[in-house]
Amino acid sequence: MDAWDANAADLVRHAKGKPIRVVSAAIRNRALLRDILGRDGYQGVLSYTLSEAIWLAGTGICDDALVAYPSADRRAISRLVSDEHLAARVTIMVDDVAHLDLVDAVAAPEARAELRVCLDLDCSWQALRGRLRFGARRSPLRKPDDVARLARAVASRPGFRLVGLMAYESQPADDLWRAKRGRIRRRLARLIQKRGEQRLTARRAAAVEAVRNVADLEFVNAGGSVSITRTADESCVTELSAGSALLGPMQTDIADGFMPRPAAFFALPVVRRPSASVVTVAGGGYVASGTAGEHQLPTPWLPDGLRLARHEGAGQTQTPLRGATAASLAIGDLVWFRHAKAGELAERFDSYHLVRGERLMDTAPTYRGDGKTFM
């Protein structure tokens, strides 16, 4: 919790006065969400599914939940449109008229609550007509004209109210991490990132202006844990999103402008000694999502001097570790690891132990501990 406090304060400083919307996928723990939303500088949640947003709003965790992705969950849509209290607190994401059609198919506009709508601007860097790409494949809306066209469609449809525009920057998090181990690839990625940032700044500003000509926007959301420092300088952006930097997993070690402190760890006991230079711990195959590779594997953290076995990695039932420190470990000793990404560990463990200094302050259930699975 000491590292959590420091990271939370650092993010607020780098946000330069703009409110930070908390990325719930990076936390997945109601106690930690309550804690961060109670601090100055944080406002609202960026949820990863509609059903999660409904749960968070319905249980009082937040009164402003923006769903980061379009939803085809008819049951969740039905729940949302039937409850004016929830509909006023949850904003859905769309990037296609088909998303509006899906909502209308669940409930006709005259028979439901008006829904808050946000448009999703794609922020990936592309060249050669899309054949060369850096960043996640998110929205089909890339040009200001594309966004304005959909904005007019939303504004003309009864039962919907356009309130926001999101331009989430997935490129630094995904692509620079993959390139971090190769010097040439890393330099190339940095060069592409720099050029992509310049183009994105202009494209985002133009898109915001185009949409504001159609509707009065309540917010323009952008950023991400590894790019928040730069994005905070853009005048068209009204709020930022961050979450991973609060816990400091391995993939935030490339953050732009500040270095989050590692705050979240998991510990595995030594259960075997195959040789004098190798120990084996129980479990450990907590691999992060994304393209398969070393960058998605957990990393031995303490004691120092341990590494994954090259040809085995992290296993579902056991993980062998090599290194000079291995010889000093006994059966039953603990090895501490950092996960590659934040949040995903909450799908593996049913609680987080909240430690301040040397004291265990609380044990807080994760979404899994609450019996919730939203994907």
Side-chain angles (χ1 to χ4, degrees):
M1 293 305 294
D2 301 298
W4 168 272
D5 290 344
N7 292 338
D10 276 350
L11 280 172
V12 170
R13 282 193 291 271
H14 286 279
K16 303 173 185 178
K18 293 183 178 179
I20 300 172
R21 187 177 291 273
V22 183
V23 180
S24 62
I27 311 300
R28 305 189 200 197
N29 183 296
R30 286 193 294 168
L32 291 178
L33 286 173
R34 283 194 190 96
D35 176 275
I36 199 65
L37 289 172
R39 299 176 185 235
D40 291 339
Y42 294 88
Q43 179 179 307
V45 165
L46 184 64
S47 69
Y48 59 98
T49 71
L50 177 56
S51 56
E52 182 212 15
I54 290 172
W55 183 61
L56 293 176
T59 56
I61 300 298
C62 72
D63 58 5
D64 177 9
L66 169 61
V67 185
Y69 304 90
S71 178
D73 184 343
R74 288 173 170 81
R75 182 175 297 179
I77 292 172
S78 179
R79 171 82 188 282
L80 182 66
V81 300
S82 64
D83 189 324
E84 291 189 359
H85 175 84
L86 288 175
R89 288 160 175 76
V90 175
T91 303
I92 64 172
M93 188 67 62
V94 306
D95 60 38
D96 194 305
V97 171
H99 297 135
L100 308 178
D101 295 338
L102 181 62
V103 172
D104 283 345
V106 172
E110 64 274 10
R112 60 173 168 83
E114 182 181 64
L115 294 190
R116 296 165 52 84
V117 172
C118 179
L119 306 183
D120 188 3
L121 175 70
D122 183 80
C123 293
S124 62
W125 183 91
Q126 296 185 26
L128 301 177
R129 297 183 178 179
R131 285 176 289 182
L132 180 61
R133 181 189 189 103
F134 275 69
R137 297 180 183 275
R138 294 178 64 93
S139 170
L141 305 177
R142 288 191 51 78
K143 299 178 181 179
D145 288 347
D146 298 332
V147 187
R149 190 178 303 111
L150 184 57
R152 289 191 292 270
V154 174
S156 67
R157 296 277 289 257
F160 298 98
R161 180 160 59 95
L162 181 57
V163 298
L165 176 68
M166 185 179 79
Y168 177 74
E169 298 155 47
S170 63
Q171 176 191 325
D174 291 343
D175 295 298
L176 289 181
W177 180 260
R178 281 200 292 270
K180 84 183 190 76
R181 294 184 183 275
R183 183 177 301 175
I184 295 177
R185 289 184 63 200
R186 183 169 63 248
R187 288 179 178 175
L188 177 61
R190 292 285 184 187
L191 178 63
I192 292 174
Q193 181 196 11
K194 186 71 173 178
R195 179 168 297 182
E197 288 172 355
Q198 295 170 351
R199 293 181 179 179
L200 175 59
T201 297
R203 184 159 58 90
R204 179 155 48 203
V208 171
E209 182 179 3
V211 176
R212 287 196 183 279
N213 288 332
V214 177
D216 293 327
L217 297 179
E218 294 180 12
F219 63 87
V220 176
N221 177 277
S225 284
V226 303
S227 59
I228 190 171
T229 300
R230 176 183 55 77
T231 310
D233 290 328
E234 295 188 32
S235 59
C236 68
V237 174
T238 66
E239 65 173 39
L240 303 162
S241 289
S244 295
L246 292 165
L247 293 175
M250 294 296 296
Q251 290 199 3
T252 60
D253 288 352
I254 60 165
D256 183 14
F258 74 103
M259 181 67 72
R261 296 158 178 80
F265 306 87
F266 64 94
L268 304 176
V270 174
V271 292
R272 280 179 168 170
R273 179 178 291 285
S275 68
S277 61
V278 177
V279 293
T280 301
V281 296
Y286 310 135
V287 179
S289 60
T291 56
E294 292 184 10
H295 56 282
Q296 304 302 97
L297 297 178
T299 300
W301 192 245
L302 291 174
D304 292 328
L306 295 173
R307 64 183 185 277
L308 299 176
R310 181 178 180 184
H311 298 296
E312 294 194 51
Q316 178 183 355
T317 56
Q318 67 169 38
T319 298
L321 302 172
R322 308 181 67 90
T325 313
S328 65
L329 294 177
I331 302 298
D333 284 347
L334 294 179
V335 176
W336 294 83
F337 292 76
R338 288 174 71 193
H339 198 249
K341 286 187 175 181
E344 294 182 346
L345 281 180
E347 302 296 335
R348 295 281 188 170
F349 298 95
D350 59 11
S351 62
Y352 284 162
H353 300 298
L354 310 184
V355 177
R356 188 176 299 282
E358 298 295 322
R359 292 184 58 200
L360 174 63
M361 306 300 295
D362 197 4
T363 297
T366 61
Y367 283 8
R368 173 173 174 162
D370 281 323
K372 298 294 182 181
T373 300
F374 296 111
M375 274 292 189

Short mmCIF file of all heavy atoms in Angstrom, two decimals, residues 145-182:
data_model
loop_
_atom_site.label_atom_id
_atom_site.label_comp_id
_atom_site.label_asym_id
_atom_site.label_seq_id
_atom_site.Cartn_x
_atom_site.Cartn_y
_atom_site.Cartn_z
N ASP A 145 -13.83 12.74 -40.14
CA ASP A 145 -15.09 12.62 -40.87
C ASP A 145 -15.85 11.35 -40.47
O ASP A 145 -17.08 11.35 -40.40
CB ASP A 145 -14.83 12.59 -42.38
CG ASP A 145 -14.43 13.96 -42.92
OD1 ASP A 145 -14.59 14.95 -42.19
OD2 ASP A 145 -13.95 14.02 -44.07
N ASP A 146 -15.10 10.26 -40.20
CA ASP A 146 -15.74 9.01 -39.77
C ASP A 146 -16.47 9.21 -38.44
O ASP A 146 -17.61 8.76 -38.26
CB ASP A 146 -14.70 7.90 -39.62
CG ASP A 146 -13.99 7.57 -40.92
OD1 ASP A 146 -14.59 7.77 -41.98
OD2 ASP A 146 -12.83 7.11 -40.85
N VAL A 147 -15.79 9.88 -37.52
CA VAL A 147 -16.37 10.09 -36.19
C VAL A 147 -17.56 11.04 -36.27
O VAL A 147 -18.59 10.82 -35.63
CB VAL A 147 -15.30 10.63 -35.22
CG1 VAL A 147 -15.85 10.68 -33.81
CG2 VAL A 147 -14.04 9.78 -35.25
N ALA A 148 -17.42 12.08 -37.07
CA ALA A 148 -18.52 13.04 -37.21
C ALA A 148 -19.75 12.39 -37.82
O ALA A 148 -20.88 12.69 -37.42
CB ALA A 148 -18.06 14.23 -38.06
N ARG A 149 -19.53 11.50 -38.76
CA ARG A 149 -20.66 10.81 -39.41
C ARG A 149 -21.44 9.98 -38.39
O ARG A 149 -22.68 10.01 -38.35
CB ARG A 149 -20.14 9.92 -40.54
CG ARG A 149 -21.24 9.34 -41.44
CD ARG A 149 -20.65 8.53 -42.56
NE ARG A 149 -19.72 9.33 -43.37
CZ ARG A 149 -18.40 9.14 -43.41
NH1 ARG A 149 -17.85 8.18 -42.70
NH2 ARG A 149 -17.64 9.90 -44.18
N LEU A 150 -20.71 9.24 -37.55
CA LEU A 150 -21.39 8.44 -36.53
C LEU A 150 -22.01 9.34 -35.47
O LEU A 150 -23.08 9.02 -34.93
CB LEU A 150 -20.41 7.44 -35.90
CG LEU A 150 -21.02 6.48 -34.89
CD1 LEU A 150 -22.17 5.68 -35.50
CD2 LEU A 150 -19.95 5.53 -34.34
N ALA A 151 -21.36 10.44 -35.15
CA ALA A 151 -21.92 11.38 -34.18
C ALA A 151 -23.29 11.88 -34.64
O ALA A 151 -24.23 11.98 -33.86
CB ALA A 151 -20.96 12.54 -33.95
N ARG A 152 -23.39 12.20 -35.92
CA ARG A 152 -24.69 12.65 -36.46
C ARG A 152 -25.73 11.54 -36.40
O ARG A 152 -26.91 11.80 -36.12
CB ARG A 152 -24.50 13.15 -37.90
CG ARG A 152 -23.74 14.47 -38.00
CD ARG A 152 -23.81 15.05 -39.41
NE ARG A 152 -23.06 14.24 -40.36
CZ ARG A 152 -21.79 14.41 -40.65
NH1 ARG A 152 -21.09 15.39 -40.05
NH2 ARG A 152 -21.18 13.66 -41.55
N ALA A 153 -25.28 10.30 -36.63
CA ALA A 153 -26.21 9.18 -36.56
C ALA A 153 -26.75 9.00 -35.14
O ALA A 153 -27.94 8.76 -34.93
CB ALA A 153 -25.53 7.91 -37.04
N VAL A 154 -25.86 9.14 -34.14
CA VAL A 154 -26.29 9.01 -32.74
C VAL A 154 -27.24 10.15 -32.38
O VAL A 154 -28.30 9.93 -31.76
CB VAL A 154 -25.07 9.01 -31.79
CG1 VAL A 154 -25.53 9.02 -30.34
CG2 VAL A 154 -24.18 7.80 -32.05
N ALA A 155 -26.86 11.37 -32.78
CA ALA A 155 -27.68 12.54 -32.43
C ALA A 155 -29.08 12.48 -33.04
O ALA A 155 -30.03 13.04 -32.48
CB ALA A 155 -26.96 13.81 -32.87
N SER A 156 -29.20 11.79 -34.16
CA SER A 156 -30.51 11.73 -34.85
C SER A 156 -31.37 10.58 -34.35
O SER A 156 -32.55 10.49 -34.74
CB SER A 156 -30.29 11.58 -36.35
OG SER A 156 -29.69 10.32 -36.66
N ARG A 157 -30.82 9.70 -33.51
CA ARG A 157 -31.57 8.53 -33.06
C ARG A 157 -32.24 8.81 -31.72
O ARG A 157 -31.57 9.18 -30.74
CB ARG A 157 -30.64 7.32 -32.91
CG ARG A 157 -30.00 6.83 -34.20
CD ARG A 157 -30.90 5.91 -34.97
NE ARG A 157 -31.07 4.62 -34.35
CZ ARG A 157 -30.47 3.51 -34.76
NH1 ARG A 157 -29.62 3.54 -35.80
NH2 ARG A 157 -30.70 2.35 -34.18
N PRO A 158 -33.54 8.62 -31.61
CA PRO A 158 -34.20 8.75 -30.31
C PRO A 158 -33.71 7.68 -29.34
O PRO A 158 -33.38 6.56 -29.74
CB PRO A 158 -35.68 8.58 -30.64
CG PRO A 158 -35.70 7.82 -31.93
CD PRO A 158 -34.49 8.24 -32.67
N GLY A 159 -33.63 8.03 -28.07
CA GLY A 159 -33.21 7.07 -27.06
C GLY A 159 -31.73 7.05 -26.79
O GLY A 159 -31.26 6.27 -25.95
N PHE A 160 -30.97 7.89 -27.49
CA PHE A 160 -29.52 7.96 -27.27
C PHE A 160 -29.10 9.42 -27.09
O PHE A 160 -29.68 10.32 -27.70
CB PHE A 160 -28.75 7.37 -28.46
CG PHE A 160 -29.02 5.93 -28.73
CD1 PHE A 160 -29.94 5.55 -29.72
CD2 PHE A 160 -28.40 4.93 -28.00
CE1 PHE A 160 -30.20 4.22 -29.98
CE2 PHE A 160 -28.66 3.59 -28.25
CZ PHE A 160 -29.56 3.23 -29.24
N ARG A 161 -28.08 9.62 -26.26
CA ARG A 161 -27.52 10.97 -26.08
C ARG A 161 -26.01 10.89 -26.14
O ARG A 161 -25.38 10.19 -25.33
CB ARG A 161 -27.98 11.57 -24.75
CG ARG A 161 -27.43 12.98 -24.49
CD ARG A 161 -28.27 13.71 -23.45
NE ARG A 161 -28.29 12.99 -22.18
CZ ARG A 161 -27.45 13.25 -21.17
NH1 ARG A 161 -26.53 14.20 -21.30
NH2 ARG A 161 -27.55 12.58 -20.04
N LEU A 162 -25.41 11.58 -27.09
CA LEU A 162 -23.96 11.56 -27.26
C LEU A 162 -23.32 12.47 -26.21
O LEU A 162 -23.59 13.67 -26.18
CB LEU A 162 -23.59 12.03 -28.67
CG LEU A 162 -22.10 12.06 -29.02
CD1 LEU A 162 -21.46 10.70 -28.83
CD2 LEU A 162 -21.90 12.56 -30.44
N VAL A 163 -22.47 11.88 -25.35
CA VAL A 163 -21.89 12.65 -24.25
C VAL A 163 -20.37 12.65 -24.26
O VAL A 163 -19.75 13.47 -23.56
CB VAL A 163 -22.38 12.12 -22.88
CG1 VAL A 163 -23.89 12.27 -22.75
CG2 VAL A 163 -21.93 10.67 -22.65
N GLY A 164 -19.72 11.72 -25.00
CA GLY A 164 -18.28 11.65 -24.89
C GLY A 164 -17.59 11.09 -26.11
O GLY A 164 -18.21 10.50 -27.01
N LEU A 165 -16.28 11.30 -26.14
CA LEU A 165 -15.39 10.73 -27.15
C LEU A 165 -14.19 10.14 -26.43
O LEU A 165 -13.61 10.79 -25.55
CB LEU A 165 -14.93 11.80 -28.14
CG LEU A 165 -13.92 11.36 -29.21
CD1 LEU A 165 -14.56 10.39 -30.19
CD2 LEU A 165 -13.37 12.58 -29.95
N MET A 166 -13.83 8.90 -26.78
CA MET A 166 -12.66 8.26 -26.19
C MET A 166 -11.61 8.02 -27.27
O MET A 166 -11.94 7.61 -28.39
CB MET A 166 -13.03 6.92 -25.53
CG MET A 166 -11.84 6.29 -24.80
SD MET A 166 -12.21 4.72 -23.97
CE MET A 166 -12.18 3.60 -25.37
N ALA A 167 -10.35 8.29 -26.93
CA ALA A 167 -9.24 8.04 -27.83
C ALA A 167 -8.11 7.41 -27.02
O ALA A 167 -7.13 8.06 -26.67
CB ALA A 167 -8.78 9.34 -28.49
N TYR A 168 -8.29 6.14 -26.70
CA TYR A 168 -7.36 5.42 -25.81
C TYR A 168 -6.09 5.02 -26.56
O TYR A 168 -6.16 4.47 -27.66
CB TYR A 168 -8.04 4.18 -25.24
CG TYR A 168 -7.14 3.35 -24.36
CD1 TYR A 168 -6.79 3.78 -23.08
CD2 TYR A 168 -6.61 2.14 -24.81
CE1 TYR A 168 -5.96 3.03 -22.27
CE2 TYR A 168 -5.77 1.39 -24.00
CZ TYR A 168 -5.45 1.83 -22.74
OH TYR A 168 -4.62 1.09 -21.95
N GLU A 169 -4.95 5.27 -25.96
CA GLU A 169 -3.66 5.04 -26.61
C GLU A 169 -3.08 3.68 -26.20
O GLU A 169 -2.37 3.57 -25.20
CB GLU A 169 -2.69 6.16 -26.25
CG GLU A 169 -3.17 7.52 -26.73
CD GLU A 169 -2.60 8.67 -25.93
OE1 GLU A 169 -1.39 8.68 -25.70
OE2 GLU A 169 -3.39 9.54 -25.54
N SER A 170 -3.39 2.67 -26.98
CA SER A 170 -2.87 1.33 -26.68
C SER A 170 -1.50 1.09 -27.28
O SER A 170 -0.81 0.14 -26.91
CB SER A 170 -3.83 0.27 -27.22
OG SER A 170 -3.92 0.36 -28.63
N GLN A 171 -1.08 1.93 -28.20
CA GLN A 171 0.16 1.67 -28.94
C GLN A 171 1.39 1.55 -28.03
O GLN A 171 2.14 0.57 -28.13
CB GLN A 171 0.41 2.75 -29.98
CG GLN A 171 1.73 2.60 -30.72
CD GLN A 171 2.07 3.81 -31.56
OE1 GLN A 171 1.19 4.44 -32.10
NE2 GLN A 171 3.34 4.15 -31.62
N PRO A 172 1.67 2.52 -27.12
CA PRO A 172 2.89 2.39 -26.33
C PRO A 172 2.90 1.14 -25.47
O PRO A 172 3.90 0.45 -25.36
CB PRO A 172 2.88 3.67 -25.48
CG PRO A 172 2.00 4.61 -26.22
CD PRO A 172 0.95 3.75 -26.86
N ALA A 173 1.78 0.82 -24.85
CA ALA A 173 1.72 -0.33 -23.96
C ALA A 173 1.98 -1.64 -24.70
O ALA A 173 2.69 -2.51 -24.22
CB ALA A 173 0.36 -0.38 -23.26
N ASP A 174 1.40 -1.79 -25.87
CA ASP A 174 1.50 -3.06 -26.58
C ASP A 174 2.81 -3.22 -27.35
O ASP A 174 3.49 -4.23 -27.24
CB ASP A 174 0.34 -3.20 -27.57
CG ASP A 174 -0.99 -3.37 -26.85
OD1 ASP A 174 -0.95 -3.70 -25.66
OD2 ASP A 174 -2.03 -3.16 -27.47
N ASP A 175 3.18 -2.20 -28.11
CA ASP A 175 4.26 -2.37 -29.07
C ASP A 175 5.64 -2.11 -28.50
O ASP A 175 6.59 -2.81 -28.82
CB ASP A 175 4.02 -1.48 -30.28
CG ASP A 175 2.77 -1.91 -31.03
OD1 ASP A 175 2.74 -3.04 -31.52
OD2 ASP A 175 1.83 -1.12 -31.10
N LEU A 176 5.77 -1.11 -27.63
CA LEU A 176 7.10 -0.85 -27.08
C LEU A 176 7.53 -1.97 -26.15
O LEU A 176 8.71 -2.31 -26.07
CB LEU A 176 7.10 0.49 -26.33
CG LEU A 176 7.01 1.71 -27.24
CD1 LEU A 176 7.05 2.98 -26.40
CD2 LEU A 176 8.15 1.73 -28.24
N TRP A 177 6.58 -2.58 -25.45
CA TRP A 177 6.96 -3.68 -24.57
C TRP A 177 7.47 -4.86 -25.39
O TRP A 177 8.46 -5.50 -25.04
CB TRP A 177 5.76 -4.12 -23.74
CG TRP A 177 6.13 -5.25 -22.83
CD1 TRP A 177 5.88 -6.57 -23.00
CD2 TRP A 177 6.84 -5.15 -21.60
NE1 TRP A 177 6.38 -7.30 -21.98
CE2 TRP A 177 6.98 -6.46 -21.10
CE3 TRP A 177 7.38 -4.09 -20.88
CZ2 TRP A 177 7.64 -6.72 -19.90
CZ3 TRP A 177 8.03 -4.36 -19.68
CH2 TRP A 177 8.15 -5.65 -19.21
N ARG A 178 6.84 -5.17 -26.50
CA ARG A 178 7.31 -6.26 -27.33
C ARG A 178 8.70 -6.00 -27.86
O ARG A 178 9.48 -6.92 -28.08
CB ARG A 178 6.35 -6.49 -28.51
CG ARG A 178 5.11 -7.24 -28.15
CD ARG A 178 4.49 -7.85 -29.39
NE ARG A 178 3.97 -6.82 -30.28
CZ ARG A 178 2.74 -6.35 -30.22
NH1 ARG A 178 1.90 -6.79 -29.30
NH2 ARG A 178 2.33 -5.43 -31.07
N ALA A 179 9.04 -4.72 -28.06
CA ALA A 179 10.32 -4.38 -28.67
C ALA A 179 11.41 -4.12 -27.64
O ALA A 179 12.54 -3.86 -28.00
CB ALA A 179 10.15 -3.14 -29.54
N LYS A 180 11.10 -4.22 -26.35
CA LYS A 180 12.04 -3.73 -25.36
C LYS A 180 13.33 -4.55 -25.27
O LYS A 180 14.36 -4.05 -24.85
CB LYS A 180 11.38 -3.66 -23.98
CG LYS A 180 11.37 -4.96 -23.19
CD LYS A 180 10.64 -4.76 -21.90
CE LYS A 180 10.82 -5.95 -20.97
NZ LYS A 180 12.14 -5.97 -20.35
N ARG A 181 13.30 -5.80 -25.70
CA ARG A 181 14.50 -6.63 -25.56
C ARG A 181 15.45 -6.53 -26.74
O ARG A 181 16.58 -6.95 -26.65
CB ARG A 181 14.09 -8.10 -25.35
CG ARG A 181 13.36 -8.32 -24.02
CD ARG A 181 13.06 -9.79 -23.81
NE ARG A 181 12.31 -10.00 -22.58
CZ ARG A 181 12.86 -10.14 -21.38
NH1 ARG A 181 14.16 -10.06 -21.25
NH2 ARG A 181 12.11 -10.33 -20.32
N GLY A 182 15.00 -5.99 -27.84
CA GLY A 182 15.87 -5.84 -29.00
C GLY A 182 16.23 -4.39 -29.21
O GLY A 182 15.35 -3.55 -29.39
#
